Amino acid sequence: MTNGGNMPSRFAPAYGGYCAWAVAQGYLAKGDPQHWTIRGDRLYLNYSQSIQDRWLKNPDGFIQQANANWPEVLE
């Protein structure tokens, strides 16, 4: 049994826990732990079920957009 070794970030939500779809759009919204997806060993939170439905239409594209906006969107 392992505890994740030296990789605690593996268990932390992407984008500081903000809604991944919102970050992809260039703004911040609270992530809700009831609405989540795991892609490529990363946890992504979404604001609501309707936002998660949008997110699931193109998660890889939204991840690419969000990565381009992160962390500058925090400013």
Side-chain angles (χ1 to χ4, degrees):
M1 184 163 141
T2 81
N3 63 2
N6 294 328
M7 296 176 43
S9 63
R10 178 177 171 204
F11 301 103
Y15 316 120
Y18 289 105
C19 173
W21 185 85
V23 173
Q25 306 310 307
Y27 65 91
L28 299 176
K30 179 182 169 187
D32 183 338
Q34 298 294 316
H35 306 289
W36 56 271
T37 307
I38 294 176
R39 308 251 334 152
D41 290 333
R42 291 296 316 267
L43 171 63
Y44 298 93
L45 300 181
N46 293 122
Y47 177 78
S48 66
Q49 185 61 56
S50 64
I51 294 298
Q52 186 171 32
D53 292 344
R54 290 185 198 179
W55 166 261
L56 291 173
K57 290 179 182 176
N58 185 15
D60 293 330
F62 291 128
I63 290 168
Q64 186 175 16
Q65 290 174 319
N67 286 345
N69 291 337
W70 189 261
E72 289 79 10
V73 72
L74 293 170
E75 296 174 5

